[in-house]
CSV table of all heavy atoms in Angstrom, one decimal:
chain,number,residue,atom,x,y,z
B,195,GLY,N,74.2,123.0,156.1
B,195,GLY,CA,73.3,122.2,155.4
B,195,GLY,C,71.8,122.6,155.7
B,195,GLY,O,71.1,121.8,156.2
B,196,MET,N,71.5,123.9,155.6
B,196,MET,CA,70.2,124.4,155.8
B,196,MET,C,69.2,124.4,154.7
B,196,MET,O,69.6,124.9,153.6
B,196,MET,CB,70.3,125.7,156.5
B,196,MET,CG,69.0,126.4,157.1
B,196,MET,SD,69.3,127.8,158.0
B,196,MET,CE,69.8,127.2,159.5
B,197,SER,N,68.0,124.0,154.9
B,197,SER,CA,67.0,123.9,153.8
B,197,SER,C,66.2,125.2,154.0
B,197,SER,O,65.8,125.6,155.1
B,197,SER,CB,66.1,122.7,153.9
B,197,SER,OG,66.8,121.6,153.7
B,198,PRO,N,65.8,125.9,152.9
B,198,PRO,CA,64.9,127.0,153.0
B,198,PRO,C,63.4,126.8,153.3
B,198,PRO,O,62.6,126.7,152.4
B,198,PRO,CB,65.1,127.7,151.6
B,198,PRO,CG,65.4,126.6,150.8
B,198,PRO,CD,66.2,125.6,151.5
B,199,THR,N,63.0,126.4,154.4
B,199,THR,CA,61.7,126.1,154.9
B,199,THR,C,60.8,127.4,155.0
B,199,THR,O,61.3,128.5,155.1
B,199,THR,CB,61.6,125.3,156.3
B,199,THR,OG1,62.1,126.2,157.2
B,199,THR,CG2,62.4,124.2,156.2
B,200,PRO,N,59.5,127.3,154.8
B,200,PRO,CA,58.7,128.5,155.0
B,200,PRO,C,58.9,129.3,156.2
B,200,PRO,O,59.0,130.5,156.2
B,200,PRO,CB,57.2,127.9,154.8
B,200,PRO,CG,57.4,126.6,154.1
B,200,PRO,CD,58.7,126.1,154.5
B,201,LYS,N,59.1,128.7,157.4
B,201,LYS,CA,59.2,129.3,158.6
B,201,LYS,C,60.6,130.0,158.6
B,201,LYS,O,60.6,131.2,159.0
B,201,LYS,CB,59.2,128.4,159.9
B,201,LYS,CG,59.3,129.0,161.2
B,201,LYS,CD,59.2,128.1,162.2
B,201,LYS,CE,59.2,128.8,163.6
B,201,LYS,NZ,58.2,129.7,163.9
B,202,ARG,N,61.6,129.6,158.1
B,202,ARG,CA,62.9,130.1,158.1
B,202,ARG,C,62.8,131.3,157.1
B,202,ARG,O,63.5,132.4,157.3
B,202,ARG,CB,64.0,129.3,157.6
B,202,ARG,CG,64.3,128.2,158.7
B,202,ARG,CD,65.3,127.1,158.2
B,202,ARG,NE,65.5,126.1,159.2
B,202,ARG,CZ,65.9,124.8,159.0
B,202,ARG,NH1,66.0,124.4,157.6
B,202,ARG,NH2,66.2,124.1,160.0
B,203,LYS,N,62.1,131.2,156.0
B,203,LYS,CA,62.0,132.3,155.0
B,203,LYS,C,61.3,133.5,155.6
B,203,LYS,O,61.4,134.6,154.9
B,203,LYS,CB,61.2,131.8,153.8
B,203,LYS,CG,61.9,130.8,152.9
B,203,LYS,CD,61.2,130.4,151.7
B,203,LYS,CE,62.1,129.6,150.8
B,203,LYS,NZ,61.2,129.2,149.5
B,204,GLU,N,60.7,133.5,156.6
B,204,GLU,CA,60.0,134.6,157.3
B,204,GLU,C,61.0,135.6,157.7
B,204,GLU,O,60.7,136.8,157.6
B,204,GLU,CB,59.2,134.2,158.5
B,204,GLU,CG,57.9,133.3,158.1
B,204,GLU,CD,57.1,132.9,159.3
B,204,GLU,OE1,57.6,133.3,160.4
B,204,GLU,OE2,56.2,132.2,159.2
B,205,VAL,N,62.3,135.2,158.1
B,205,VAL,CA,63.3,136.1,158.6
B,205,VAL,C,64.6,136.0,157.9
B,205,VAL,O,65.6,136.9,158.1
B,205,VAL,CB,63.5,135.8,160.1
B,205,VAL,CG1,62.3,136.3,160.9
B,205,VAL,CG2,63.8,134.4,160.4
B,206,VAL,N,64.7,135.0,157.0
B,206,VAL,CA,65.9,134.7,156.2
B,206,VAL,C,65.7,134.7,154.7
B,206,VAL,O,64.7,134.2,154.3
B,206,VAL,CB,66.7,133.5,156.6
B,206,VAL,CG1,67.8,133.1,155.9
B,206,VAL,CG2,67.1,133.5,158.2
B,207,ASP,N,66.6,135.4,154.0
B,207,ASP,CA,66.5,135.2,152.5
B,207,ASP,C,67.6,134.2,152.1
B,207,ASP,O,68.7,134.2,152.6
B,207,ASP,CB,66.8,136.6,151.8
B,207,ASP,CG,65.7,137.6,151.9
B,207,ASP,OD1,64.5,137.2,152.0
B,207,ASP,OD2,66.0,138.8,151.8
Side-chain angles (χ1 to χ4, degrees):
M196 184 172 285
S197 298
T199 63
K201 185 173 179 60
R202 290 170 181 156
K203 285 182 177 180
E204 292 177 3
V205 292
V206 174
D207 285 335

